[in-house]
């Protein structure tokens, strides 16, 4: 199911022994357009320190109670590597983080998460919430020498992590002019892929919100805070509008993609993992 960025804010992250804190932001990979970490404000119990939580740790969500349970303890969080979430997260930070929690590296492979499409698939023998630490360590130790060499080469690479909160407000440019600004995102709660940017076109089409898929993005200027898409203003004007208070169904998505003459992301994800492509 697709969840809005606004909906995920303020969700509680629950460790196996109590609440860790509330979600305040998400870091996405700007190449794959997948959420890699949730930024969590720990509140009073850890002096409001902000920590990163990987979707790999998240078990079965309780959407009714706005609770995301994770298979780690508060003590693990207390002793986790310190990361300044107001600054860019480097690959070295990610290596330290993954090593501390014994998580496999998500980069590399044909899926969103290594060779898989959902974060839990990276953990050998993954059984959902409460997956044993020993299994994670076994997964790490089983990596081939070639994988380790690749990881070493990637250790200084730019991980392309961006704050979802910071991207909100970016101006969207069609091929023939501006169409609005980013006012939200729709995120797949299984894969954690960003399926759509929600675009407020009120300065052009009063009362309209439209959806733009990451596959349609031609380029992003992080310095100028703009996103360019391979669409015309007229095509956007004629597209089915997004109803923020409604439920976006697969039929709605099909109509949207057919309008633009674009292939749906679900078609690519139905392929074998070895043929999967990033959003």
């Amino acid at each position: 199911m697709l969840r809005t960025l606004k909906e995920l804010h303020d969700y509680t992250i629950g460790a196996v022994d109590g609440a860790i804190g509330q979600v305040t932001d998400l870091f996405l990979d700007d190449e794959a357009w997948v959420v890699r970490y949730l930024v969590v404000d720990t509140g009073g119990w850890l002096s409001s320190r902000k920590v990163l939580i990987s979707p790999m740790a998240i078990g079965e969500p309780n959407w009714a109670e706005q609770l995301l349970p994770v298979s780690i303890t508060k003590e693990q969080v207390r002793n986790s590597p310190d990361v300044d979430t107001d600054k860019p997260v480097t690959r070295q930070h990610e290596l330290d983080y993954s090593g501390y929690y014994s998580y496999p590296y998500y980069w590399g492979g044909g899926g969103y998460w290594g060779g898989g499409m959902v974060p839990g698939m990276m953990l050998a023998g993954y059984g959902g919430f409460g997956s044993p630490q020993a299994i994670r360590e076994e997964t790490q130790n089983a990596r081939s020498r070639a994988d380790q060499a690749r990881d070493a080469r990637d250790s200084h690479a730019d991980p392309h992590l961006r704050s979802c909160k910071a991207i909100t407000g970016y101006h969207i440019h069609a091929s023939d002019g501006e169409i609005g600004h980013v006012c939200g995102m729709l995120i797949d709660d299984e894969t954690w892929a960003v399926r759509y940017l929600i675009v407020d076109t009120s300065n052009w089409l009063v009362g309209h919100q439209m959806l733009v898929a990451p596959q349609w993005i031609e380029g992003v200027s992080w310095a100028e805070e703009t996103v360019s898409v391979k669409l015309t203003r007229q095509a956007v004007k004629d597209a089915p509008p997004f109803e923020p208070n409604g439920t976006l169904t697969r039929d709605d998505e099909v109509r949207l993609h057919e309008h633009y003459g674009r292939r749906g992301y679900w078609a690519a994800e139905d392929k074998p993992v070895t043929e999967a492509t990033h959003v």
Side-chain angles (χ1 to χ4, degrees):
M1 186 173 177
L2 303 184
R3 307 281 173 178
T4 66
L5 178 62
K6 182 178 180 180
E7 177 185 358
L8 291 170
H9 279 182
D10 298 326
Y11 266 51
T12 297
I13 301 295
V16 296
D17 54 354
I20 294 174
Q22 275 69 48
V23 177
T24 60
D25 198 0
L26 298 94
F27 282 163
L28 65 83
D29 179 333
D30 68 14
E31 289 190 326
W33 287 87
V34 176
V35 172
R36 299 303 185 189
Y37 302 99
L38 288 74
V39 181
V40 179
D41 188 331
T42 58
W45 79 275
L46 206 53
S47 301
S48 293
R49 174 185 163 195
K50 292 183 179 178
V51 298
L52 300 181
I53 296 295
S54 168
M56 280 186 271
I58 297 175
E60 187 65 31
N62 185 331
W63 301 113
E65 297 185 8
Q66 298 186 327
L67 173 67
L68 299 176
V70 294
S71 53
I72 54 180
T73 66
K74 294 177 70 173
E75 191 63 21
Q76 284 179 292
V77 173
R78 184 191 302 276
N79 297 321
S80 64
D82 198 14
V83 177
D84 187 344
T85 57
D86 293 326
K87 295 181 180 179
V89 176
T90 67
R91 182 67 84 204
Q92 187 59 53
H93 286 143
E94 293 196 281
L95 289 168
D96 292 343
Y97 179 91
S98 297
Y100 175 76
Y101 284 111
S102 296
Y103 292 150
Y105 304 143
Y106 66 77
W107 51 90
Y112 293 137
W113 299 89
M117 300 306 291
V118 298
M121 291 176 66
M122 297 194 68
L123 304 176
Y126 182 72
F129 182 65
S131 182
Q133 183 82 0
I135 294 178
R136 294 177 180 166
E137 292 174 352
E138 178 185 345
T139 304
Q140 284 288 89
N141 294 335
R143 289 185 296 124
S144 67
R145 293 179 64 86
D147 288 339
Q148 293 175 2
R150 184 199 64 229
D151 294 338
R153 290 195 302 271
D154 289 344
S155 63
H156 299 294
D158 178 4
H160 298 278
L161 297 180
R162 305 285 177 179
S163 160
C164 288
K165 183 183 291 186
I167 294 173
T168 302
Y170 275 32
H171 292 277
I172 304 289
H173 291 273
S175 57
D176 53 354
E178 185 174 334
I179 60 175
H181 65 273
V182 178
C183 65
M185 300 179 189
L186 289 178
I187 299 168
D188 188 319
D189 63 19
E190 184 177 9
T191 64
W192 289 90
V194 176
R195 297 305 187 193
Y196 302 99
L197 302 181
I198 304 174
V199 182
D200 185 340
T201 65
S202 58
N203 291 338
W204 173 47
L205 297 174
V206 178
H208 277 65
Q209 291 186 359
M210 315 299 289
L211 297 180
V212 170
Q215 301 99 311
W216 309 339
I217 293 176
E218 190 169 33
V220 180
S221 172
W222 305 109
E224 298 180 4
E225 300 186 351
T226 60
V227 179
S228 299
V229 294
K230 303 176 185 177
L231 307 170
T232 65
R233 284 166 59 94
Q234 188 62 48
V236 173
K237 184 177 181 179
D238 295 339
F242 172 62
E243 301 296 338
N245 296 322
T247 299
L248 185 72
T249 67
R250 178 52 55 84
D251 287 343
D252 294 330
E253 293 187 271
V254 169
R255 282 192 290 272
L256 179 67
H257 282 74
E258 287 181 344
H259 168 76
Y260 288 120
R262 305 301 176 93
R263 185 184 184 205
Y265 62 83
W266 53 88
E269 292 178 11
D270 285 341
K271 288 184 176 183
V273 170
T274 54
E275 300 180 26
T277 56
H278 286 311
V279 171

